Amino acid sequence: MEERELTALAAAFQRGDEDAFERLVEALTRPLIAMAYRYTGDWEWARDLTQETWVRVHDRIRRYDPVRSFRAWVYTVHRNACLSHLRRAWVRYETMPGDDALGRAIEPAADPLADLERREFHRRLLIAMGTLSESQRQVFARVYLEGVDQKEVAQALGIKHTTLRATLHFARKRLAAALREMEETP
Amino acid sequence: MTRNPDCEVFQDQLDALQAGALPEEGIEQLRLHAASCGDCAMLLRVHEHLAAPALGDLEAAVPDEMVASVWPRVRAEIATGESVRLRESRGWQGWSWLAPAVAAATLLLFIGSGLMYQEVRELRRRETALVQQVAEQERWLAELDLRTSTDPVARTAGLAGRPTWERALARRRSVSVAELARMLGSLPATTTIFDASDTEALYRNLPSWLAAAVENLATEVPTGDGLQAGELTRLVETLGVDSSRRISTTRLLALAGGSAPGFDLSPGAL
Amino acid sequence: MTNERHLEMDELLALRDGEESAFARAHVESCEACRGELERLYRVRSELRALPTFGPPRELWPRIRRYVWRRRVRRRLSYGAVGLAAAAALAGLLILRGPAVEPADEWVAEATSEDLGPMINRARQLETVLQYYAPQKRVYDAPTALATSALEDRIFVLDQMLLESRAVGADREVLRGLWGERVLALEQLVTLQVVQEEKRVWR
């Protein structure tokens, strides 16, 4: 759906049009699930988080400023939901991602050992992200987990590209150190 | 921070790789460096881990039934305020350790809040001490300024070009008589504080309770050339004003700038 | 040892904060001048640790004061006339939690909250200190200028993120994290200014 169309629907929803909300959910659920999967590595969690995001959007639609992109706003709400979920996971040291039966049904692993290794690395990566500062985590998540172009991230935040790179630089350095430490003491 | 230039080049190349703008030989270089640098090898691994599958491919992989299932759940959750989330409900069933964990957490919270209270108190104490330190430092800087009157850098807002002692005063809200005496004492005795016309006005406007004391002094202190620091020090001493009394610096500065009609030395003003 | 150059201010700050490079660590062990500088940074930091930073837009402080005052009045009223207190509380709620959440109201709520309030206040205090040390743009040596601008950039990023977080009603942890970083960055900025001021005074 076009950016303009989304924004118009969001404005309608802000005025109380619940049908507009339904159409927004239909239009953006797919990319949101995919994005949450990048965070959690687990389809069921991805669906739960997307559901949570939509409920948040419903509650907080008043905060949305129709002058700005609705897609960007929803993605930010979603990112917050995903990172919050990870934070809860860091707190209780849950082994993440979980046993993703649904994931296996969707896409059977060709090499179970490689698949296990990949999952373990993802788990470590998420734990390592817990050692970043809030601003580093937000920037790293956008650039790496969501794969957004650095220039776009800088623009969305209203900062210079060089400033973004400085933050990313420290984030990567700390992340690499945390991951290597985990490698040494499994 | 990484100071190794190779690592910096590596990070630039990694950015380019992510943007899909790194030529073959660049990728070769990247691997070469990663082979000799642990941190960079780890970053490359992170990159490779997250690069595939691309977000677009992932989107295509999301099953239609899953996408379709979200709206009814959202609608139900908004309507009833109750969440139907598979993972969360499943997650709670197996948590037999929850009860002891909650008990332990409560205990920790209890102990923690006690410690935190202590910490907050300690922080407050340190903050008060620090505010005092800053005030002390401020005083110290003001006095230092007084002695290094030629320093061209120290330009306090709006007072550029004025004598240094005025700038020193401008940093404070008020000074005590004792501080004023000390400041005056640290100036060369011949520094002119009030010029002749200021001094005339000063003497004319003195309250009667001071007149007698000052009359004596006036015969000793010739006012034709104004009042110098040394003379003023003697004046303050002779008047015998309580040394802990504070004088507003605005008043003092206005006087020194010649804009005040007179030096108000009534007991209330001091 | 490697002595081709001395450490720059940002490297020294990184060392102090335990984020140093291998080069910096090796260098500081063999170089007395840099070690001295580092020790001074530690000292200055310990003196400034407890200081506070920047906060809501300046024009909001009168509002925050009014809010606190209102809260106090409300509390006082509750001792006396319960009905009056309820009315005052209701009025307060209507003003502060009206149907649409005004950004300014949110600022007030944050600045007076128990978790964010102390951080915001601390930030504001540090800003006051900064204003004192830098009444106008001073001329720095190159490393200090670099470190200063890096810190100012970092603070700007945090400000933008705080704005964004407010726009989506982000979780409290996010706000706490961002405010914490902001206080830290301001602390470092103050440290730089103090070191600079010392140099200036003793030159």
Side-chain angles (χ1 to χ4, degrees):
Chain A
M1 199 181 278
E2 286 280 318
E3 204 64 47
R4 241 175 330 124
E5 224 177 314
L6 288 174
T7 306
L9 281 173
F13 172 43
Q14 237 173 358
R15 289 190 300 268
D17 180 352
E18 294 279 335
D19 288 344
F21 179 58
E22 184 177 351
R23 291 188 59 196
L24 287 170
V25 174
E26 276 167 10
L28 290 174
T29 289
R30 185 177 285 277
L32 289 183
I33 293 178
M35 178 171 151
Y37 182 80
R38 291 300 289 262
Y39 279 88
T40 59
D42 180 307
W43 288 110
E44 280 175 15
W45 268 122
R47 170 166 43 189
D48 281 356
L49 283 167
T50 304
Q51 184 182 339
E52 185 177 330
T53 293
W54 284 120
V55 174
R56 283 188 187 201
V57 166
H58 191 269
D59 290 348
R60 294 169 199 184
I61 191 65
R62 275 173 195 283
R63 289 168 183 264
Y64 166 62
D65 175 3
V67 177
R68 316 192 67 156
S69 152
F70 179 72
R71 188 190 291 268
W73 186 76
V74 171
Y75 281 16
T76 304
V77 175
H78 196 43
R79 181 179 315 114
N80 269 287
C82 291
L83 286 174
S84 258
H85 162 74
L86 296 185
R87 201 176 286 114
R88 290 194 293 270
W90 298 322
V91 170
R92 55 178 139 84
Y93 294 99
E94 184 185 296
T95 12
M96 286 197 50
D99 170 34
D100 189 7
L102 186 61
R104 280 202 302 278
I106 292 169
E107 188 188 5
D111 177 355
L113 201 66
D115 186 57
L116 199 69
E117 209 172 303
R118 190 179 61 78
R119 282 169 187 279
E120 173 61 14
F121 187 73
H122 198 77
R123 184 182 72 87
R124 288 183 181 191
L125 179 66
L126 296 178
I127 293 173
M129 272 179 73
T131 68
L132 299 183
S133 75
E134 189 60 45
S135 61
Q136 290 170 340
R137 188 157 47 235
Q138 298 258 353
V139 168
F140 182 84
R142 284 176 202 227
V143 172
Y144 283 89
L145 284 170
E146 297 170 29
V148 184
D149 184 69
Q150 288 188 21
K151 288 203 179 84
E152 274 175 47
V153 174
Q155 205 178 6
L157 281 169
I159 60 178
K160 286 180 289 182
H161 186 205
T162 47
T163 310
L164 178 84
R165 289 187 52 148
T167 311
L168 253 187
H169 173 76
F170 283 105
R172 285 194 287 226
K173 201 196 152 224
R174 198 182 276 193
L175 200 82
L179 280 168
R180 289 186 73 192
E181 206 169 294
M182 272 186 265
E183 207 163 54
E184 280 155 23
T185 51
Chain B
M1 56 210 66
T2 323
R3 277 286 148 183
N4 184 344
D6 285 349
C7 293
E8 282 175 14
V9 170
F10 175 88
Q11 295 214 1
D12 286 346
Q13 286 176 327
L14 203 59
D15 287 344
L17 181 69
Q18 201 188 9
L22 192 66
E24 272 303 317
E25 65 264 32
I27 298 176
E28 204 47 52
Q29 246 182 319
L30 204 77
R31 295 197 187 288
L32 213 64
H33 172 72
S36 66
C37 173
D39 274 1
C40 291
M42 188 54 87
L43 286 177
L44 186 62
R45 192 168 167 199
V46 169
H47 170 83
E48 281 168 348
H49 173 77
L50 292 174
L55 207 58
D57 297 341
L58 255 183
E59 267 184 46
V62 181
D64 290 341
E65 312 87 75
M66 184 180 270
V67 177
S69 69
V70 169
W71 170 243
R73 289 163 168 232
V74 170
R75 194 181 43 202
E77 183 166 346
I78 289 167
T80 61
E82 275 170 36
S83 159
V84 202
R85 292 181 206 163
L86 189 64
R87 266 290 178 214
E88 283 187 7
S89 51
R90 189 203 281 175
W92 282 92
Q93 285 164 7
W95 291 2
S96 51
W97 47 269
L98 194 69
V102 166
T106 313
L107 189 66
L108 272 176
L109 199 71
F110 185 68
I111 299 168
S113 60
L115 289 176
M116 206 135 78
Y117 175 67
Q118 292 252 313
E119 198 167 329
V120 167
R121 267 211 339 210
E122 171 66 10
L123 262 178
R124 286 233 178 93
R125 197 186 58 72
R126 270 172 32 202
E127 211 161 272
T128 316
L130 207 76
V131 167
Q132 276 167 3
Q133 261 180 36
V134 170
E136 190 57 43
Q137 203 169 16
E138 205 171 311
R139 259 198 292 285
W140 174 76
L141 277 172
E143 282 188 25
L144 200 71
D145 250 6
L146 211 60
R147 283 183 231 122
T148 55
S149 56
T150 51
D151 183 356
V153 190
R155 264 173 288 151
T156 309
L159 287 165
R162 304 294 293 274
T164 324
W165 66 270
E166 282 186 25
R167 285 192 270 115
L169 277 182
R171 293 190 172 188
R172 317 273 305 270
R173 224 173 269 144
S174 66
V175 284
S176 71
V177 171
E179 282 172 321
L180 197 61
R182 211 169 46 242
M183 279 184 176
L184 284 170
S186 68
L187 286 171
T190 53
T191 313
T192 299
I193 305 293
F194 300 124
D195 64 22
S197 60
D198 283 341
T199 316
E200 283 291 307
L202 176 70
Y203 277 24
R204 251 201 326 277
N205 293 316
L206 282 179
S208 57
W209 66 275
L210 271 176
V214 175
E215 205 174 323
N216 277 339
L217 195 76
T219 53
E220 281 175 46
V221 182
T223 56
D225 60 344
L227 266 177
Q228 277 72 44
E231 292 166 347
L232 207 56
T233 307
R234 263 159 55 213
L235 184 66
V236 172
E237 277 166 10
T238 314
L239 290 176
V241 185
D242 181 359
S243 63
S244 63
R245 275 223 157 119
R246 301 196 75 81
I247 306 169
S248 136
T249 50
T250 326
R251 193 186 294 280
L252 282 174
L253 286 169
L255 187 80
S259 56
F263 202 168
D264 184 2
L265 283 175
S266 62
L270 285 177
Chain C
M1 282 302 323
T2 39
N3 272 329
E4 315 90 42
R5 64 172 181 88
H6 287 299
L7 295 180
E8 290 170 12
M9 184 53 83
D10 54 348
E11 286 175 299
L12 284 166
L13 285 172
L15 251 174
R16 185 198 62 181
D17 297 334
E19 293 181 348
E20 75 281 3
S21 62
F23 165 76
R25 204 178 320 142
H27 177 82
V28 86
E29 269 167 27
S30 65
C31 172
E32 205 165 316
C34 288
R35 201 162 49 241
E37 193 70 12
L38 181 66
E39 268 158 19
R40 202 155 60 105
L41 282 177
Y42 277 124
R43 215 169 38 240
V44 173
R45 175 170 198 155
S46 65
E47 280 166 14
L48 284 163
R49 257 236 123 94
L51 253 193
T53 308
F54 146 59
R58 228 155 281 287
E59 64 274 14
L60 272 179
W61 282 100
R63 261 184 96 156
I64 290 167
R65 258 202 308 278
R66 267 207 308 280
Y67 170 69
V68 172
W69 179 83
R70 242 194 331 248
R71 208 161 53 170
R72 244 181 248 151
V73 168
R74 233 154 46 200
R75 200 177 306 148
R76 214 171 299 155
L77 280 173
S78 70
Y79 290 126
V82 178
L84 255 182
L90 194 65
L93 277 174
L94 279 178
I95 293 163
L96 290 162
R97 296 177 194 274
V101 186
E102 286 280 317
D105 286 334
E106 208 155 321
W107 255 123
V108 174
E110 278 175 23
T112 49
S113 65
E114 274 180 23
D115 54 345
L116 298 176
M119 281 196 271
I120 294 175
N121 207 31
R122 193 172 153 92
R124 188 172 171 249
Q125 268 174 285
L126 275 174
E127 284 205 327
T128 311
V129 173
L130 274 177
Q131 269 180 349
Y132 166 74
Y133 276 114
Q136 65 266 309
K137 287 275 174 200
R138 290 232 170 90
V139 180
Y140 300 121
D141 52 277
T144 311
L146 209 69
T148 303
S149 82
L151 283 169
E152 283 170 353
D153 279 354
R154 191 176 301 172
I155 292 170
F156 184 66
V157 173
L158 292 166
D159 284 349
Q160 294 298 101
M161 285 186 173
L162 277 165
L163 275 180
E164 193 191 60
S165 305
R166 214 168 287 121
V168 297
D171 288 353
R172 211 64 180 176
E173 285 103 328
V174 175
L175 296 180
R176 273 200 292 269
L178 293 174
W179 270 111
E181 283 183 61
R182 197 166 197 288
V183 168
L184 201 69
L186 276 160
E187 248 175 24
Q188 291 177 329
L189 209 51
V190 168
T191 309
L192 269 182
Q193 299 291 341
V194 172
V195 171
Q196 202 60 19
E197 185 76 11
E198 273 181 12
K199 279 188 191 157
R200 186 179 73 74
V201 167
W202 296 113
R203 193 171 46 208

